[in-house]
Structure formats: structure tokens, C-alpha cells
Amino acid sequence: MCSDLISVAKILNFHGIKGEVKLGFSKGRERQLELLKKVYVKKDNEILTLNVSAVRFHKHFAIVKFKELETVNDAENLKGLDIYIPKTEVEENLDNDEFLISDLIGMDVYDEDGCLIGKIKAVGENAANNILSVEDNNKKEHLVPFVKDIVPVVDLKGNKIVINNIEGLIN
């Protein structure tokens, strides 16, 4: 089961005195957090199940009450831990043009003519969009903005991405 889990948030701190926690999460994932019923945390090589009883948002954080946490001490013991849910739950809530970073890593990258450019080694982000780090056969890194105009095809089943290799993108 452990390999089927994916991190969706992190417990940053306790909130209040009744066992609530403050979660940090990726922007745009509020709806997914609202739908959570059960989550998992890994603590001391053990996977603990936590049942969600309430979720609300304050500033850029989620405030979550878990049935199992009743005090500040309960909540504080989980500070710094990641919140995991089954990967299938995340995939169900993705839009058509959204992908899991873990699914993109290692994919082959081709240009529009079908020539292999390299493989995706990492995915980062900046203020505007995500950035694909593509390593070519010479171990050179190329940064490719992950936007529809430049990356029109993401074929998860075929394990490949096609990019429009505009002048200066891959040199």
C-alpha cells in the first residue's frame, strides 16, 4: 500500500487547542482537500490512518480536524509530517491537462518531427508555470516551460512528450 500513496499536503503546525492542524498544500488543490475523508501519515516507519472530520481554509493554509487528534499535544506530535492519500484519488481529481510529477519523470521527450531529444529528469516551477528539466543524450540539461503551446502532447501510456522545439529552446 505504501507505494500507492502520494503526498498532497504537509502538517506545518497545530492550530488552536482542540487538536486541529495547519496544512501547507499546492495552490489550486483546495477542492481536493475538501473531499478528503481519510488520509495517511508516515511516522516512525509506521503508516497511521487519520479520519478527517472538518476542513476549512485560512489565508493560504488548510485547517483540518482529524477525529484521532484531540489536543495540541496530539497535533504537535505530527508536525512536519506529510499527508498521503492513494494515488488513484489524486488521479480522479485531475483535470485533462493536469499530470502528476511522478508520472512525468523519466518520460521520453520528442520534437514535433519525432526526433528523440532526451528524458524528463525533474519538474520545477516558477511564478508563471511548471518547468520540465530535460536531459539529452549528452547529459546537457534543457529547461522547457510546461505550457500547452510548447508541450502540446503528453502521452502517459506511450511514455512520451512532444514539444514544439521553437528556436533557442533546445540547442
Side-chain angles (χ1 to χ4, degrees), residues 5 18-20 22 25-27 35 42-43 50 86 88 91-92 109 112 122 126 136 138 144 152 169:
L5 298 177
K18 297 182 180 178
E20 290 180 310
K22 179 166 64 169
F25 60 95
S26 295
K27 164 175 87 168
L35 297 173
K42 296 177 187 176
K43 181 171 175 57
L50 298 174
T88 53
E91 292 170 332
E92 289 169 3
V109 178
E112 60 274 12
N126 64 21
D136 66 21
N138 298 320
V144 177
L169 186 62

Side-chain angles (χ1 to χ4, degrees), residues 24 48 74 100 107 118 129 142-143 154 157 166:
L48 307 173
D74 293 341
L100 297 175
M107 290 182 77
N129 49 264
H142 307 276
L143 300 178
V154 177
K157 289 186 170 121
I166 58 175

Side-chain angles (χ1 to χ4, degrees), residues 12-171:
L12 301 175
N13 211 340
F14 63 88
H15 183 85
I17 60 170
K18 297 182 180 178
E20 290 180 310
V21 295
K22 179 166 64 169
L23 298 184
F25 60 95
S26 295
K27 164 175 87 168
R29 293 277 137 229
E30 292 84 356
R31 180 74 180 131
Q32 187 171 50
L33 290 175
E34 288 174 332
L35 297 173
L36 294 178
K37 300 291 180 221
K38 184 187 325 183
V39 301
Y40 304 92
V41 295
K42 296 177 187 176
K43 181 171 175 57
D44 301 327
N45 295 322
E46 186 179 348
I47 297 177
L48 307 173
T49 302
L50 298 174
N51 294 287
V52 178
S53 59
V55 177
R56 68 183 197 279
F57 298 94
H58 179 69
K59 299 185 181 178
H60 303 291
F61 304 101
I63 307 299
V64 179
K65 176 67 176 129
F66 295 111
K67 293 176 184 173
E68 294 77 9
L69 306 182
E70 297 178 4
T71 68
V72 170
N73 289 340
D74 293 341
E76 193 168 39
N77 285 331
L78 300 181
K79 183 177 176 179
L81 298 181
D82 287 329
I83 297 287
Y84 295 90
I85 64 173
K87 183 178 178 182
T88 53
E89 282 184 38
V90 175
E91 292 170 332
E92 289 169 3
N93 292 303
L94 291 176
D95 292 334
N96 287 337
D97 61 346
E98 289 185 308
F99 307 94
L100 297 175
I101 289 173
S102 60
D103 290 341
L104 298 175
I105 304 297
M107 290 182 77
D108 292 326
V109 178
Y110 293 87
D111 67 15
E112 60 274 12
D113 296 325
C115 296
L116 180 65
I117 295 171
K119 288 191 177 290
I120 296 178
K121 291 298 179 186
V123 180
E125 62 180 88
N126 64 21
N129 49 264
N130 288 331
I131 304 289
L132 302 176
S133 173
V134 178
E135 185 177 271
D136 66 21
N137 293 334
N138 298 320
K139 304 291 184 200
K140 184 176 178 187
E141 179 186 34
H142 307 276
L143 300 178
V144 177
F146 193 32
V147 295
K148 192 75 169 164
D149 288 342
I150 297 174
V151 185
V153 177
V154 177
D155 179 0
L156 292 175
K157 289 186 170 121
N159 195 43
K160 73 175 188 177
I161 287 179
V162 176
I163 65 168
N164 290 325
N165 192 4
I166 58 175
E167 188 175 336
L169 186 62
I170 307 289
N171 37 356

